[in-house]
Amino acid sequence: MQWLTSRFSVHSLFFKMLIYFLIVIILLSSYNIWSMTFYTRNVHNEIVKYNLTLIRNTVDSFEKQYTTWKSLLLSLQHNEFVGNINRQADKGGKQAIDYLQVDLVMDQIRTIVTQPFYHLQNVMIYYRSHSFLLESDGMVDDDRMFRHYYVSEQYPYEFWIKDADRSDAFLQALPSSGFTIEPKSSEVELLPLVSHVPGSRWEIIALVNMNSWYESYKGMSGSRFLLLDQDGTPLFQSAPSSMDAPLPAWNGTSEWIKDKGNYYFFEKGDRSGLTYVSIIPHNELNRSISRMNWIAVLLFATTLLIGTLASWFFTRNINRPLKRMITGLGKTEQHLYEGTISEFNAIASHLQGLHHERKQIKAWMDHIKPLLTSYHYMARFKNINIDAAAAAELPVSEGAFMIVVFQLRYRHTPSELLDEMLTKATGKIKDIISLQVQEAFPLSHTLQMDSREILSIVYTQERSERLLACLNGLKRIFDQDQGTYLVTIAVSSVFQHTSHFDQAYTEAMSLLLQAMPVEETQIIWEKAPREDVSGFTAEQEHEFYVNLQAGNEVSCQQLIDRAFDSLHRRGATADQLHHFALAVLSRIRKTMALLNIESSPLPSDHRPLAHCVTPEHYKQALLNELARAAEAIRRKREENYDIIQFIAQFMENHISEEISLELLADKLNMSPTYLSGYIKEKTGSNFSDHLHAIRIRKAKELLVTTNMPVQEVGEQIGYRNVTSFIRMFKKLTGQPPGDYRKTHWIRN
């Protein structure tokens, strides 16, 4: 305390807040000491109650499990197929058994065994008189089962074949034992459950995986668990080697007994009659209590230490900013306080605001000046009229100049997210260009026109070697990233006055159209005459369209190959090549749309061409799209032919019968509504028109080739009413059936 009063005044904020915090800590510590004392006195009883709860939960779970086992085995014992198998074996041995019934029984056994919450390793139906068993994997002889698959010293083969003593209960639990299970040679602790039904010639053996069951319901750490039958014989022990001393006598009512340094917790099962015992060493219980006490003491000491340190630091964090702000009130230079207390931050920010206001205004003006300059340049390029008074204050140089346009092409699939990212990337590239150009021409100005276009104004009287060296240096930089983007550089001629900005910009943009389809940075200085080339002639375009509609992929490939060869020989530019590829791609997709063929959705028509640069790139992209479209067209045509052909053939073969749309829809596994629309879409006529047309065509043949009466002809082609037949015949041919027959006979 003397150290505190020597460093801090007793009336200071720091000293008073620290004292208040310490008083609160002392009050809370007093309550914690009382709570820990009370807890220590009652923890023994709580641990005993906890263990009683654990063993009761274990008893409840095992009793429910025992009842479930009993129900499952009883159901299996009285299964009719189980009895049928025994009767079949009595008559003719194993050869007379119906293995279909064996499969049904095996399915039931597998259903039981595969349920993890039953904890059953296996369930067997033992036909002792016939020396075989049915289990989850099939039918096994008893000597093979107990001498090879399930081997136990306590339960050898001889144990199972002899007539064991039977208890009165339906289900008898035998002491658990270690079994070696083949073919994996795994060691498992199993508890046999054997069904006893008077007069039954078979019995059910269920093997319970006690390790699995005990892992689900084990009690307190360090405890041991015993399961005893009605005679007190241990059926299961969690730690058999440590069970040396006999259990103390239990009167059947006491919940727990302390004997020879151990706590014994007893519970008897109401349904099974089994006794459950949990044994906890006295030193283990004391160790738990002692460990809890030490944990409580450690937590109390830690809490006290953390509380004291927190009080010190919190008090200091409140006192320090106030002291700094008060000390800095009389100084010209302020340092902004940034802490975790918002009120102090607000006070410090307000005090420093006036001091920084002038600096912020100056920094803002310095920052906005290049933007205003770029805006003025863009207004000149785009012929945008701006306020004359404002324009007079913007810094735009005068004199002879050249325009250099840098057009970027990112080799990616377009998307809104990537476009936003690439706009920022273009800004970085613009900084590189500005640095290189300004180093060679200090009066130059570089600005970003959009996400893929950068422009530099170079004030110079001629196309000098210095400009050539500058652009070649940029070319070397760009070529290192040609896998990500490509740059085409167009240089205008020299203009003498800034009023010609728009003319210089137009000239440079026209030069960009001369770029060739190569994977490198191109610098274009002069406008060269270029032939207006196209990939397909009118005849080739028509031929391509016809072959595409027919799904003839090979012919379409040959036309594309010839077109690209022609474009290459005639020196097509990148722009001409792209427009040709885009036109072919558009033709492919329009053809698929006309044929009602759905294609995979794409974000834009340019997607397959996004990565294309060279003629080979474009040709491969188009061939890929062509292959996909041709395959879809062929499938569509085959599908249409199969269904329509079936309908026509069915009508021809069953023309004299009652044919309905519902009948055909049922045979094609379609709904009548869908089938009606499908026929209309694919053929242009509805179902009834097709049916009448086929019947009238057949009627014409019968009228010409036979002397059959008109009424009989109508019945032969499916018309039960002669009036309906005559009316339809006249509607489709223009004359009644009798007149049609006379006209044909007269002509012949």
Side-chain angles (χ1 to χ4, degrees):
M1 185 63 70
Q2 292 180 354
W3 177 77
L4 281 175
T5 54
S6 63
R7 290 180 57 88
F8 304 97
S9 171
V10 294
H11 299 291
S12 66
L13 176 65
F14 179 87
F15 185 83
K16 290 183 179 295
M17 290 191 66
L18 183 60
I19 294 300
Y20 295 153
F21 280 131
L22 292 178
I23 291 173
V24 173
I25 291 172
I26 291 172
L27 291 175
L28 293 176
S29 299
S30 301
Y31 173 76
N32 287 338
I33 292 173
W34 175 82
S35 300
M36 188 173 64
T37 304
F38 179 80
Y39 168 77
T40 303
R41 293 174 182 173
N42 292 276
V43 69
H44 177 271
N45 295 333
E46 293 300 323
I47 293 180
V48 169
K49 291 180 181 179
Y50 169 72
N51 281 278
L52 285 173
T53 302
L54 283 179
I55 194 170
R56 285 169 183 165
N57 291 339
T58 303
V59 171
D60 182 63
S61 66
F62 192 86
E63 288 295 306
K64 291 179 180 178
Q65 194 80 71
Y66 188 86
T67 303
T68 302
W69 293 333
K70 187 174 180 180
S71 175
L72 292 172
L73 298 188
L74 184 62
S75 174
L76 196 60
Q77 178 76 37
H78 296 290
N79 186 297
E80 62 173 324
F81 298 125
V82 174
N84 291 343
I85 293 172
N86 184 75
R87 286 189 291 272
Q88 293 165 2
D90 288 342
K91 291 181 180 180
K94 293 170 62 176
Q95 295 78 6
I97 294 175
D98 183 357
Y99 281 89
L100 180 60
Q101 298 190 19
V102 171
D103 289 338
L104 294 174
V105 175
M106 288 170 55
D107 288 341
Q108 185 174 352
I109 293 174
R110 277 194 289 267
T111 301
I112 296 172
V113 172
T114 54
Q115 298 296 332
F117 44 84
Y118 290 159
H119 303 287
L120 292 174
Q121 183 71 29
N122 205 345
V123 175
M124 311 170 186
I125 304 173
Y126 188 15
Y127 298 93
R128 190 189 304 275
S129 59
H130 298 289
S131 301
F132 72 87
L133 302 95
L134 283 183
E135 48 102 20
S136 58
D137 292 331
M139 181 184 295
V140 185
D141 292 337
D142 54 1
D143 60 338
R144 183 70 175 170
M145 174 64 73
F146 298 115
R147 284 178 174 171
H148 179 72
Y149 291 116
Y150 284 83
V151 182
S152 170
E153 294 183 0
Q154 187 172 350
Y155 300 105
Y157 168 66
E158 292 74 18
F159 171 83
W160 298 104
I161 63 175
K162 72 178 182 178
D163 291 332
D165 295 334
R166 307 296 188 186
S167 66
D168 295 334
F170 164 72
L171 195 62
Q172 179 182 5
L174 302 178
S176 65
S177 175
F179 280 78
T180 302
I181 302 176
E182 297 294 343
K184 296 182 179 180
S185 300
S186 56
E187 294 288 338
V188 183
E189 183 78 12
L190 301 178
L191 185 145
L193 297 175
V194 183
S195 68
H196 295 156
V197 175
S200 176
R201 299 187 59 193
W202 62 88
E203 60 186 13
I204 312 297
I205 303 172
L207 300 177
V208 182
N209 190 330
M210 293 304 292
N211 293 333
S212 171
W213 174 83
Y214 184 67
E215 284 296 322
S216 302
Y217 306 107
K218 68 163 64 174
M220 181 178 173
S221 177
S223 65
R224 289 182 289 143
F225 174 78
L226 280 81
L227 182 64
L228 310 177
D229 63 8
Q230 292 88 339
D231 300 328
T233 303
L235 297 179
F236 173 71
Q237 305 177 46
S238 62
S241 60
S242 59
M243 186 57 194
D244 297 326
L247 294 174
W250 179 49
N251 57 14
T253 58
S254 301
E255 293 181 331
W256 61 279
I257 300 173
K258 182 179 179 182
D259 182 67
K260 298 180 181 179
N262 292 324
Y263 287 85
Y264 296 85
F265 296 87
F266 292 88
E267 189 77 21
K268 191 174 184 65
D270 295 333
R271 304 172 189 173
S272 66
L274 303 178
T275 302
Y276 303 81
V277 185
S278 180
I279 306 172
I280 303 177
H282 182 267
N283 57 354
E284 186 69 28
L285 200 61
N286 288 341
R287 187 181 301 114
S288 299
I289 297 173
S290 177
R291 182 167 58 249
M292 292 181 183
N293 288 338
W294 277 110
I295 291 174
V297 171
L298 181 61
L299 289 176
F300 171 73
T302 304
T303 302
L304 187 62
L305 177 61
I306 292 175
T308 304
L309 293 176
S311 299
W312 173 273
F313 285 112
F314 184 65
T315 303
R316 189 182 64 170
N317 288 341
I318 294 177
N319 182 73
R320 180 178 292 178
L322 286 174
K323 186 176 180 180
R324 285 177 55 187
M325 285 187 285
I326 293 172
T327 304
L329 287 176
K331 296 182 179 180
T332 57
E333 186 67 24
Q334 293 254 346
H335 296 283
L336 180 63
Y337 166 76
E338 294 182 359
T340 57
I341 304 175
S342 59
E343 288 79 2
F344 289 164
N345 290 339
I347 294 171
S349 178
H350 180 72
L351 291 175
Q352 197 180 33
L354 295 175
H355 178 75
H356 288 307
E357 184 174 357
R358 182 173 58 84
K359 291 183 178 180
Q360 291 174 350
I361 293 174
K362 183 179 182 303
W364 179 79
M365 291 300 297
D366 292 340
H367 172 72
I368 206 68
K369 184 177 179 181
L371 297 178
L372 293 174
T373 303
S374 296
Y375 173 72
H376 193 187
Y377 275 117
M378 287 185 183
R380 293 283 191 91
F381 288 132
K382 303 295 186 180
N383 282 327
I384 301 174
N385 292 324
I386 59 176
D387 183 74
E393 299 178 0
L394 298 176
V396 175
S397 301
E398 293 291 342
F401 68 93
M402 301 172 65
I403 297 296
V404 183
V405 177
F406 301 83
Q407 187 181 65
L408 280 67
R409 181 180 180 188
Y410 290 99
R411 307 177 72 174
H412 73 290
T413 301
S415 69
E416 292 183 4
L417 179 60
L418 279 176
D419 284 344
E420 181 179 348
M421 296 173 59
L422 295 178
T423 300
K424 298 179 181 178
T426 304
K428 300 296 183 183
I429 298 173
K430 175 248 183 186
D431 294 338
I432 296 173
I433 295 172
S434 178
L435 181 65
Q436 295 290 325
V437 174
Q438 280 191 348
E439 183 177 348
F441 301 91
L443 294 180
S444 66
H445 188 80
T446 300
L447 58 147
Q448 181 177 340
M449 301 294 285
D450 55 35
S451 62
R452 288 173 174 78
E453 184 180 322
I454 300 170
L455 183 146
S456 289
I457 304 102
V458 179
Y459 290 95
T460 180
Q461 294 288 343
E462 59 181 355
R463 292 180 175 179
S464 60
E465 293 294 329
R466 184 171 44 163
L467 177 60
L468 177 61
C470 175
L471 296 181
N472 285 332
L474 287 171
K475 173 178 166 46
R476 287 191 294 271
I477 295 173
F478 296 148
D479 285 343
Q480 294 177 3
D481 297 325
Q482 63 182 6
T484 304
Y485 61 89
L486 295 173
V487 182
T488 302
I489 305 173
V491 186
S492 75
S493 56
V494 178
F495 288 80
Q496 298 301 321
H497 195 271
T498 55
S499 61
H500 298 147
F501 272 157
D502 57 335
Q503 299 177 24
Y505 180 66
T506 302
E507 178 184 321
M509 293 300 293
S510 65
L511 293 177
L512 292 175
L513 299 177
Q514 299 180 196
M516 300 303 294
V518 294
E519 294 184 284
E520 65 176 358
T521 301
Q522 301 179 63
I523 304 175
I524 305 173
W525 298 85
E526 301 289 347
K527 188 169 184 178
R530 289 288 178 184
E531 181 183 358
D532 187 12
V533 299
S534 60
F536 284 155
T537 63
E539 293 79 6
Q540 288 174 332
E541 184 173 2
H542 177 71
E543 183 182 355
F544 179 82
Y545 177 65
V546 171
N547 282 286
L548 181 60
Q549 281 191 318
N552 191 343
E553 182 181 353
V554 175
S555 297
C556 292
Q557 286 179 349
Q558 293 173 352
L559 287 169
I560 290 176
D561 288 338
R562 288 201 298 270
F564 274 99
D565 290 341
S566 174
L567 289 171
H568 178 68
R569 288 194 306 271
R570 299 165 70 183
T573 64
D575 182 70
Q576 292 169 336
L577 195 65
H578 182 78
H579 278 83
F580 168 72
L582 190 59
V584 174
L585 182 63
S586 176
R587 169 57 68 185
I588 292 173
R589 293 188 177 173
K590 286 181 180 178
T591 302
M592 294 179 70
L594 288 173
L595 295 175
N596 292 322
I597 300 175
E598 295 184 0
S599 58
S600 57
L602 298 173
S604 74
D605 286 342
H606 298 273
R607 180 174 180 177
L609 310 178
H611 300 278
C612 298
V613 177
T614 66
E616 286 300 321
H617 293 165
Y618 281 104
K619 182 165 71 172
Q620 189 58 49
L622 290 180
L623 292 179
N624 292 339
E625 285 292 307
L626 174 64
R628 185 173 66 88
E631 177 63 24
I633 291 170
R634 285 195 297 271
R635 287 199 306 268
K636 190 73 172 180
R637 290 189 176 277
E638 291 171 1
E639 175 187 348
N640 293 347
Y641 175 80
D642 290 344
I643 295 176
I644 301 302
Q645 188 73 8
F646 171 80
I647 293 172
Q649 191 66 38
F650 185 86
M651 290 180 179
E652 290 279 358
N653 296 336
H654 301 81
I655 193 168
S656 63
E657 302 174 9
E658 288 288 340
I659 302 175
S660 65
L661 184 65
E662 289 74 13
L663 175 65
L664 282 171
D666 183 64
K667 290 186 175 295
L668 291 171
N669 196 23
M670 297 179 178
S671 70
T673 303
Y674 177 80
L675 180 58
S676 176
Y678 184 87
I679 295 172
K680 180 70 173 178
E681 177 187 353
K682 302 305 179 186
T683 65
S685 302
N686 56 36
F687 166 76
S688 60
D689 291 341
H690 278 285
L691 181 58
H692 289 310
I694 292 175
R695 284 176 168 171
I696 298 305
R697 187 177 72 249
K698 185 65 175 177
K700 290 179 180 180
E701 294 178 6
L702 294 175
L703 289 170
V704 171
T705 59
T706 69
N707 294 322
M708 193 180 297
V710 171
Q711 181 176 354
E712 189 175 344
V713 170
E715 292 176 354
Q716 285 289 322
I717 62 173
Y719 289 101
R720 301 294 177 257
N721 188 313
V722 66
T723 304
S724 300
F725 166 56
I726 294 173
R727 185 187 305 115
M728 185 57 63
F729 191 94
K730 185 176 181 180
K731 178 181 177 181
L732 296 183
T733 64
Q735 55 186 349
D739 293 348
Y740 179 84
R741 171 180 278 173
K742 292 176 183 178
T743 301
H744 188 273
W745 282 355
I746 291 172
R747 290 176 180 175
N748 294 298

